[in-house]
């Protein structure tokens, strides 16, 4: 992205750019696959024409060439199509011949033509090598890829060639070193920045997006507006070049990187060309070289950043599309899992019911005389089968909840009365376990808008967990209170508590927090189901805990 002023020396001085020979390992190249043999030939012809036209225009007009397009074209085509050392060598040979022919055709002496050919090839080879090293994906549609290419290929690569050219021309008495370096570096860098990025951005996908009727019409309107505003801004002495920036930003937002590259090329040609012709807002009191330099800096600093914004927007859209596709896949996988859970749970229920019936008959003597040991075994069989039955019911509920087929009927629910029912049921299940269970209601009229059956199911689950996992504390508190427009229900135990890491994993299905091999029964389904059931009722659920100080599971349900 930089600037160049041609060196209009006599017949023996000249500035030329060419394409490079890049030794690169096979497969190190960017998108586009191997080059068809005709591509290097066509590129060589185009480069030779660009070199000859630039030089002849410089001589005939007695001005400077502010944009050197040959290097940008060569770098873009080489990076897009070359694959492997053999094709790199072919590109280098074709480009060297093309540049040398152009130099000779425009009238340069053989020695000077060879020098300019070598320096141009050095620049192109350096640009290709640096781009492959620091921007290996050659993807201008990402912010990182665009920045890496612009810095390595456009800004840094022309420096060695510019320095050699400046030293050689200073020896010939054409320019001082600083002026010669500036002329070469700015013009070639701007050519690689504008034409190189445009060439890399024109991929089949970007072209396809721009070729829809709507995008073509939009592109034509915006480019026409850019040319119109440019004429208004640069045809006179008014300093209004900034009016092009909103149009460029619109192109970047609406049409993407490739269209932005086209717009930047049009603007660069018009801006630099106007400066060379002595028109535009930056001509008063400046020499020709200074006019071109100001135009080049305007493109570089004022307009080129819109390409980076276009790259950022395309990268954002691409990531958003990937996230959407990933979410859709996850939703399909979740739906398939829910169907599997529902089918498995349904198939379990019938045989388990048969096992429970047989076990109860066996333990009661319905199948014949039994010994005390057989009665104990039958009771163990029934107990285990009921655990499996409970698991199948939970799995069915989880599958239905995730599928959205659980229906909740919200009606006013007396929370203190519900807590009393839960307390009695849990004390009966706890059996001989010595756990004190208290109910604390901190205000009157605690009526929640909830599905009483589903809310009781959740509270039973939380209270059973408090008894199982917090039994070491010997006490469980069921507390109800008012919290703004909600009824807050807390299940408090005084057991070992939970670490912050475990609190974050509590509501994950089938996650028992490392207690899979403990003697405490469970399957890791209850809390995940509880969370889903509370959310279906318009509430929320969570936990607060400190290791060694017990845990408090809380529920917020809207008041009736």
């Amino acid at each position: 992205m930089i600037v160049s002023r041609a060196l209009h020396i006599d017949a023996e001085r000249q500035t030329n750019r060419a394409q490079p020979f890049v030794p690169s390992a096979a497969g190190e190249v960017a998108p586009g696959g191997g080059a068809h043999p005709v591509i290097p030939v066509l590129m060589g012809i185009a480069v030779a024409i660009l070199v000859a036209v630039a030089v002849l225009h410089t001589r005939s007009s007695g001005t400077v060439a502010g944009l050197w397009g040959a290097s940008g074209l060569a770098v873009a085509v080489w990076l897009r199509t070359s694959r492997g050392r053999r094709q790199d060598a072919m590109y280098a040979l074709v480009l060297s011949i093309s540049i040398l022919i152009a130099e000779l055709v425009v009238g340069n002496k053989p020695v000077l033509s060879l020098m300019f050919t070598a320096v141009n090839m050095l620049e192109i080879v350096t640009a290709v090598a640096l781009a492959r090293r620091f921007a290996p994906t050659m993807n201008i549609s990402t912010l990182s890829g665009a920045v890496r290419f612009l810095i390595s290929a456009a800004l840094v690569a022309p420096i060695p060639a510019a320095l050699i050219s400046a030293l050689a021309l200073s020896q010939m008495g054409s320019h001082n070193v600083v002026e010669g370096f500036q002329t070469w570096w700015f013009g070639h860098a701007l050519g690689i920045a504008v034409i190189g990025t445009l060439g890399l951005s024109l991929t089949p996908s970007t072209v396809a997006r721009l070729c829809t009727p709507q995008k073509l019409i939009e592109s034509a309107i915006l480019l026409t507006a850019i040319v119109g505003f440019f004429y208004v801004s640069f045809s006179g002495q008014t300093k209004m070049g900034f009016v092009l920036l909103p149009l460029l930003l619109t192109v970047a937002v609406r049409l993407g990187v490739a269209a932005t590259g086209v717009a930047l090329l049009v603007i660069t040609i018009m801006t630099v060309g106007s400066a060379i012709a002595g028109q535009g807002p930056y001509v008063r009191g400046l020499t020709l070289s200074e006019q071109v330099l100001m135009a080049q800096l305007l493109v570089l600093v004022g307009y080129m950043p819109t390409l980076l914004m276009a790259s950022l927007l395309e990268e954002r859209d691409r990531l958003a599309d990937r996230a959407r596709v990933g979410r859709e896949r996850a939703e399909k996988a979740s739906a398939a899992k829910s169907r599997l859970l529902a089918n498995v749970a349904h198939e379990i229920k019938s045989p388990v019911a048969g096992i429970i019936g047989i076990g109860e008959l066996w333990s009661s003597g319905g199948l014949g005389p039994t010994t005390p040991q057989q009665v104990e075994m039958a009771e163990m069989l029934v107990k285990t089968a009921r655990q499996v039955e409970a698991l199948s019911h939970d799995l069915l509920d989880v599958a239905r909840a995730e599928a959205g087929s659980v229906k909740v009927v919200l009606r006013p629910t007396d929370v203190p009365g519900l807590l009393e029912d839960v307390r009695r049921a849990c004390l009966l299940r706890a059996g001989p376990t010595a756990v004190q269970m208290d109910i604390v209601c901190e205000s009157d009229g605690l009526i929640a808008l909830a599905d009483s059956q589903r809310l009781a199911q959740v509270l039973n689950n939380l209270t059973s967990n408090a008894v199982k996992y917090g039994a070491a504390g010997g006490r469980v508190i069921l507390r109800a209170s008012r919290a703004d427009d909600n009824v807050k229900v807390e299940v408090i135990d005084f057991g070992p508590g939970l670490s912050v890491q475990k609190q974050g994993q509590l509501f994950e299905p089938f996650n028992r927090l490392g207690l899979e091999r403990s003697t405490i029964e469970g399957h890791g389904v209850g809390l995940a189901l509880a969370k889903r059931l509370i959310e279906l009722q318009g509430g929320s659920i969570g936990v607060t805990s400190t290791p060694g100080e017990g845990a408090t599971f809380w529920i917020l349900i809207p008041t009736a």
Side-chain angles (χ1 to χ4, degrees), residues 413-429 437 439 452-453 455-457 459-460 463-464 478:
T413 301
D414 179 29
V415 173
L418 192 62
L419 291 179
E420 180 61 31
D421 293 340
V422 169
R423 185 183 77 89
R424 291 176 180 176
C426 285
L427 287 176
L428 287 175
R429 287 197 303 271
M437 193 173 296
I439 296 177
S452 58
Q453 180 182 355
L455 183 57
Q457 181 180 355
L459 290 173
N460 269 309
T463 308
S464 298
L478 305 180

Side-chain angles (χ1 to χ4, degrees), residues 314-327:
E314 281 204 11
E315 186 174 17
R316 180 206 63 181
D317 293 342
R318 189 163 49 252
L319 292 175
D321 289 340
R322 291 179 183 174
R324 177 182 54 78
V325 172
R327 184 176 64 252

Side-chain angles (χ1 to χ4, degrees), residues 126-201:
T126 303
V128 172
L130 289 178
R132 286 176 172 173
R133 172 64 180 83
F134 296 103
T137 62
M138 306 300 163
N139 188 359
I140 304 300
S141 295
T142 67
L143 180 61
S144 174
V147 170
R148 286 169 176 265
F149 176 80
L150 290 175
I151 292 177
S152 61
L155 288 176
V156 176
I159 292 177
L163 184 58
I164 294 173
S165 173
L167 291 172
L169 292 173
S170 67
Q171 294 298 318
M172 298 164 51
S174 302
H175 286 285
N176 62 46
V177 174
V178 174
E179 184 180 359
F181 177 85
Q182 177 179 282
T183 297
W184 184 289
W185 185 37
F186 277 94
H188 290 235
L190 188 62
I192 294 176
V194 174
I195 298 177
T197 53
L198 174 60
L200 291 179
S201 67

Side-chain angles (χ1 to χ4, degrees), residues 247-257 260 306-307 309-310 313:
L247 288 174
L248 259 180
L249 292 174
T250 304
V251 172
V253 172
R254 297 289 305 164
L255 303 175
V257 173
T260 304
T306 56
L307 179 74
M309 193 189 77
L313 292 175

Side-chain angles (χ1 to χ4, degrees), residues 459-498:
L459 290 173
N460 269 309
N461 181 281
L462 297 180
T463 308
S464 298
N465 285 347
V467 172
K468 287 191 295 184
Y469 298 105
R475 186 183 179 202
V476 172
I477 297 177
L478 305 180
R479 181 164 62 195
S481 60
R482 197 178 292 279
D484 297 329
D485 294 331
N486 298 290
V487 175
K488 185 175 184 180
V489 182
E490 297 170 287
V491 179
I492 307 168
D493 68 64
F494 298 88
L498 296 162

Side-chain angles (χ1 to χ4, degrees), residues 10 57 267 332 359 405 419 447 460 550:
D10 55 9
H57 175 268
I267 288 177
K332 291 179 181 179
S405 58
L419 291 179
I447 308 298
N460 269 309

Side-chain angles (χ1 to χ4, degrees), residues 1 67 140 146 150 190-198 201 222-223 226 230 244-245 247-249 251-252 256-272 295-296 298-311:
M1 35 165 108
L67 174 68
I140 304 300
L150 290 175
L190 188 62
I192 294 176
V194 174
I195 298 177
T197 53
L198 174 60
S201 67
L222 288 172
L223 285 176
I226 286 174
F230 175 85
L244 293 178
L245 188 57
L247 288 174
L248 259 180
L249 292 174
V251 172
V257 173
T260 304
V262 173
L264 281 171
L265 178 60
V266 172
I267 288 177
T268 302
I269 293 173
M270 294 189 300
T271 304
V272 176
Q296 292 167 330
L298 175 63
V299 174
L300 171 64
V301 179
Y303 300 145
M304 206 68 196
T306 56
L307 179 74
L308 303 181
M309 193 189 77
S311 300

